[in-house]
Structures are given as C-alpha cells and as structure tokens.
Amino acid sequence: SAAEWGYTKRNGPFTWAKNYPTAAGIRQSPVDIDTALATSDSSLESKPLRWKYVPQNTRTIVNSGHGWRVDVDSEGSELVGGPLEGTYKLQQFHCHWGSSSDKGSEHTVDGQSYAAELHLVHWNSSKYADCGEAADYPDGLTVLGVLLKVGAKNPELQKVIDLIPSISHRGEKTEVKEAIDPAKMLPKTLSYWTYLGSLTVPPCNESVTWILFKEPVEVSEEQLAAFRSLRCYKRGEECPCDEVDGLLISNYRPTLPLGTRELRECGS
Ligand SMILES: Cc1cc(=S)c(O)co1
Ligand SMILES: [Zn+2]
C-alpha cells in the first residue's frame, strides 16, 4: 500500500497531496493568523461561544501513529454560538507539537509559532448523524484550537501524560479511568479568531470551522518531552519512518495560504 502519510521528509506534509488531493485545496489549515487582517464582527460578539462537556465521557486514549488522541462519547456535550449555526458535539481531542519548543503549533500568530497546539474536534449534530458523515460537509466540523506555550505544568493535561507510557507504540490504546475535563484545558479569556479551513491531517477535508483562542495556555517542558516519547510504529515491527528511533518528535503541519478567506475575531 502507499507509504502511510506522516511527518518525515519521505511522507510528510509536502507529499500529502499525492495521495490526498484535497491537501492542495484553497481552504486548507493551518494558516498564519495575520492579526492586522482580522475583522471584528458584532454578530460574533452578540452570540457568545458556549460549551458543555461531560468529563466522565472521556473514554479511551490511543496512539494513532501520528500522536495521542482521546476519544470521547459525544452524548451530553455541546458547543454553540460564535460563528456556529446549530449544535456541535465533542468527538475527540489531541495535540500537535514540535521537536523543540520553539515550534510545534500548527497555527502561527503574526509568524510566531508556539510550542504545541491542542485541538478539540466537534461535529455538527444538528445536521449530520455522526462525525464521519459530518467530515464530508463544509459545515460539518468545528475545531477549538488552543495554543500551548512553555510554562507551568498543566494539571489537566497531566492526566493524559500519565497514560502515555501505556500507549507508547502505534495502535495501542487504554481506558481513561480518571475523568479528563476538556473545559479545564481552555484559556481563561475566550477571545478567538475564526475562519473556514480544514483538517490538518490527511485527508485534509475542507469541512472545519476553526475557532482559535487568542490566549495561550501553559504546559511544561517535561510534558512536551512526554509527547515526543510516543513511537510512530507498532510494537515488534520495524520502524518505517526515518525519525530517530521512530519517535514522534514532531507532528505539526506547516501553514498554508489564507488566500481570499475572511479572518474574523471576537474579543480583544
Ligand atoms: C479529525 C481530525 C482533526 C484534526 S485537526 C487532526 O489533527 C486529526 O483528526
Ligand atoms: Zn489536529
């Protein structure tokens, strides 16, 4: 089969369009947030973004081979308001990071990278039956993006990090026993930028309304190091990628042009 996509020279972001043509589209993510281009929009201010999560519904954490991912039972969750029409439900959350903390976020702000970026993936439950179906429609998904910068240890993310040793290799998964509250991983101030974009991994579906919070949240260097200890290959198999020891030291996609898309902001 075609070499699985990844983040190395051989199978990285600049090769994805070969097997996933949408990756070469004009509504791709991430993008650089040129703050001077952002337009504030009274309709966003008038409909505050609101979310409700059920910490007990965080089910499993898996090593996808491209990072860690916490899968959630969508029932009981909801995200409404801001740029969104209808109700979106939480499906999963995951992170992107770099080989050192001077890079690793997917979105950049006025050209500045952060150390990592947390993505909370939601699907439009007002119009579609599940996340898989929603991913095929332009209004199907919403991802809340949180920029992560080096600082204090993040207690909520520590619950994820404590599970990483049990999912060290690709395909390994484990139950999340201690409830993780996604709401506790969001910044205090809720100002955000929003624009229409895509998944940042193949097949790069152009079905995401991006909502990127302006205020970064802190994680510690040790926590970032734990992310980089994940391996991209299955236990007992050869390491297919040419990363050092098959360690997932970097899993962020470089930015794509915003093009003629509108970039709106809410809050200072
Ligand atoms: C559905 C999905 C969305 C993003 S942003 C990602 O990295 C993986 O999967
Ligand atoms: Zn992502």
Side-chain angles (χ1 to χ4, degrees):
S1 72
E4 163 82 339
W5 66 269
Y7 293 92
T8 71
K9 284 176 296 303
R10 204 172 30 74
N11 63 1
F14 300 103
T15 74
W16 292 351
K18 212 168 38 229
N19 296 321
Y20 304 96
T22 312
I26 56 164
R27 184 186 146 166
Q28 289 292 295
S29 294
V31 298
D32 178 49
I33 302 289
D34 179 342
T35 56
L37 283 184
T39 57
S40 58
D41 184 314
S42 55
S43 79
L44 293 179
E45 313 277 352
S46 64
K47 291 181 295 172
L49 201 56
R50 259 189 331 95
W51 54 81
K52 182 165 73 70
Y53 296 129
V54 183
Q56 293 69 22
N57 281 5
T58 46
R59 288 281 175 267
T60 54
I61 184 169
V62 60
N63 176 336
S64 61
H66 310 298
W68 58 265
R69 187 187 72 234
V70 174
D71 291 319
V72 167
D73 176 351
S74 293
E75 277 325 298
S77 66
E78 67 173 49
L79 175 68
V80 295
L84 305 176
E85 297 293 322
T87 300
Y88 286 72
K89 289 188 185 303
L90 180 64
Q91 176 74 15
Q92 52 107 323
F93 58 91
H94 63 269
C95 216
H96 301 266
W97 59 84
S99 53
S100 55
S101 35
D102 56 314
K103 54 192 178 289
S105 63
E106 298 212 297
H107 291 88
T108 55
V109 180
D110 293 334
Q112 179 187 346
S113 290
Y114 286 81
E117 188 171 321
L118 178 67
H119 288 161
L120 288 79
V121 179
H122 304 72
W123 55 280
N124 186 333
S125 58
S126 297
K127 290 179 71 173
Y128 308 111
D130 58 38
C131 191
E133 180 194 358
D136 288 337
Y137 296 89
D139 60 355
L141 303 178
T142 287
V143 182
L144 288 185
V146 182
L147 298 164
L148 301 179
K149 70 177 187 183
V150 175
K153 180 173 165 181
N154 187 301
E156 207 60 25
L157 263 178
Q158 189 56 36
K159 296 177 186 172
V160 167
I161 282 144
D162 291 340
L163 297 170
I164 283 187
S166 51
I167 56 163
S168 59
H169 289 73
R170 179 197 188 99
E172 294 180 333
K173 66 163 57 173
T174 188
E175 291 296 306
V176 173
K177 299 231 180 337
E178 189 185 9
I180 300 174
D181 184 355
K184 288 194 180 139
M185 297 191 282
L186 304 181
K188 283 184 306 303
T189 56
L190 305 183
S191 309
Y192 61 83
W193 295 287
T194 183
Y195 75 99
L196 297 181
S198 73
L199 303 187
T200 66
V201 295
C204 300
N205 308 48
E206 296 187 327
S207 57
V208 178
T209 299
W210 276 94
I211 296 175
L212 180 70
F213 289 112
K214 293 188 178 181
E215 181 191 334
V217 159
E218 294 188 7
V219 287
S220 69
E221 278 290 5
E222 292 74 14
Q223 292 181 310
L224 291 166
F227 291 169
R228 301 184 192 110
S229 71
L230 288 169
R231 293 180 189 275
C232 70
Y233 61 94
K234 289 191 171 129
R235 192 180 290 276
E237 285 190 359
E238 277 303 294
C239 156
C241 59
D242 39 4
E243 273 312 339
V244 173
D245 309 325
L247 291 173
L248 251 173
I249 56 173
S250 173
N251 64 354
Y252 72 95
R253 186 187 193 186
T255 55
L256 288 308
L258 180 68
T260 58
R261 287 177 279 178
E262 190 185 19
L263 173 65
R264 294 186 291 166
E265 67 180 335
C266 178
S268 58

